[in-house]
Amino acid sequence: MLKITSAVGAQVVFTLRHSRNPCPVALQYLGKLDVKSQIGPKLPSSIFLNKIVSNSCCTHLSVRCYAKNKDKKSNKGQKKVSIDENLLAEHLKYNAMKTEMEKAVAALKNNYIKNLSLRSSTGALDSLPVTFEGDEYLIQDLAQIVRKNPKTIILNMISFPQAIPAVLESLKASGMNLNPQQDKTSIFIPIPKVTKEHRENLSKGAKALFIKTKDTIKELQNKNIKLLKDNDSLATDLVHTLQDQITAVADKYVLEAQRIMEEKQNELKGDS
């Protein structure tokens, strides 16, 4: 059964007193109230209302109660950390750390250009790494790369025929959806069609490369924070300040890498 508290009683009683056609039961209980007060001493308004609401002739009475918004949480923005490069340079090898983070982002961009294109190109194959006899080479060091026509690339392996198996393995594992075919000392590489599946695979590859870049940046961050914490000559408050700033620097480069990834994914999916 609906229960009405005295908090809303006075307003409803006032409405019934001034209604042109109040129901009979409402009038009956209304008469028991003190005429000088909306909430009379003879019958509190909450009791009055609960009685008339429970009666069948007053089932049309509607009371809306609003809950108080006590638990609403305020959305406070996170504290912005100001980066003091002079302070960082004073207590750690800041320029070296920043340079390494910049290199990680640049390497990501370079990988996207060379290894994640919708159409395989001679440029993408040039820098593809090949492990041969315990050392790492680039394909361009082992083969002459020729574009026979818009649909086929040929690797002439006549100078290093013994490296053909390693080159084939590298091509298949490149993530470029390649299906190389060997003919004596030549490797023919049909350029794959741009399908939806191919686009999605390249997009996944873009994310995987971003995650590697992010991990590299965070490793640099953690390495430098550890060096600070191991330095007993620094005050605790200063260490916390420097730690926050190092994290802010790392986050800046991660966001830049993420922006590059999203642009590449849009390009690969055809959204750009």
Side-chain angles (χ1 to χ4, degrees):
M1 182 186 297
L2 174 65
K3 293 294 182 181
I4 303 174
T5 64
S6 58
V8 295
Q11 293 181 5
V12 181
V13 170
F14 179 82
T15 301
L16 288 172
R17 281 188 183 279
H18 295 82
S19 174
R20 292 182 179 180
N21 298 301
C23 70
V25 176
L27 288 175
Q28 176 186 348
Y29 286 108
L30 190 60
K32 296 182 180 181
L33 292 174
D34 186 346
V35 294
K36 296 181 180 180
S37 173
Q38 291 180 14
I39 306 178
K42 295 181 180 179
L43 187 64
S45 61
S46 58
I47 297 176
F48 160 71
L49 291 170
N50 284 314
K51 283 182 176 293
I52 63 173
V53 168
S54 64
N55 190 282
S56 60
C57 75
C58 295
T59 54
H60 63 279
L61 182 62
S62 175
V63 179
R64 179 177 294 177
C65 301
Y66 295 93
K68 293 184 179 179
N69 199 8
K70 293 181 180 180
D71 299 327
K72 185 177 181 181
K73 295 181 180 179
S74 58
N75 295 323
K76 295 182 179 179
Q78 294 182 347
K79 182 181 178 182
K80 186 176 180 180
V81 177
S82 298
I83 299 171
D84 186 340
E85 294 192 332
N86 292 328
L87 182 64
L88 288 168
E90 183 180 348
H91 296 286
L92 64 130
K93 295 179 180 179
Y94 172 65
N95 289 330
M97 180 191 76
K98 190 169 71 168
T99 299
E100 290 301 314
M101 291 181 178
E102 289 172 351
K103 283 182 180 179
V105 175
L108 175 69
K109 188 182 295 186
N110 195 42
N111 272 330
Y112 283 170
I113 293 171
K114 290 186 175 181
N115 300 325
L116 289 179
S117 59
L118 291 173
R119 290 288 184 184
S120 301
S121 65
T122 55
L125 295 177
D126 282 348
S127 57
L128 196 65
V130 178
T131 302
F132 173 59
E133 294 183 347
D135 293 320
E136 188 170 284
Y137 300 87
L138 301 180
I139 281 187
Q140 64 182 356
D141 298 329
L142 303 172
Q144 180 185 2
I145 304 174
V146 180
R147 187 160 194 140
K148 183 179 180 181
N149 55 56
K151 295 183 178 180
T152 308
I153 295 174
I154 300 176
L155 303 184
N156 186 343
M157 299 290 301
I158 194 168
S159 298
F160 296 95
Q162 66 274 29
I164 289 177
V167 171
L168 289 170
E169 183 180 351
S170 178
L171 290 169
K172 292 175 181 178
S174 66
M176 290 189 281
N177 196 29
L178 302 177
N179 184 27
Q181 303 295 324
Q182 180 186 355
D183 182 11
K184 298 181 181 178
T185 57
S186 296
I187 298 176
F188 291 81
I189 307 172
I191 298 175
K193 293 181 179 180
V194 181
T195 62
K196 181 180 179 181
E197 182 182 3
H198 182 47
R199 289 177 182 272
E200 289 176 351
N201 287 336
L202 290 175
S203 181
K204 289 177 182 177
K207 185 174 182 179
L209 288 172
F210 161 72
I211 291 173
K212 282 186 178 181
T213 301
K214 179 181 177 181
D215 290 344
T216 298
I217 293 171
K218 287 299 181 179
E219 284 173 8
L220 289 165
Q221 167 194 309
N222 295 335
K223 174 184 174 182
N224 282 274
I225 288 175
K226 185 177 185 302
L227 290 173
L228 285 176
K229 290 182 176 180
D230 290 344
N231 189 344
D232 296 333
S233 65
L234 298 178
T236 303
D237 289 346
L238 177 59
V239 171
H240 287 160
T241 298
L242 293 171
Q243 178 177 335
D244 289 343
Q245 293 191 27
I246 291 172
T247 302
V249 171
D251 288 346
K252 182 182 72 171
Y253 285 107
V254 169
L255 285 174
E256 174 64 12
Q258 183 175 340
R259 182 190 65 78
I260 294 170
M261 176 199 68
E262 289 171 351
E263 287 181 356
K264 189 64 180 179
Q265 286 183 320
N266 289 337
E267 173 194 326
L268 294 170
K269 292 177 180 178
D271 296 335
S272 58

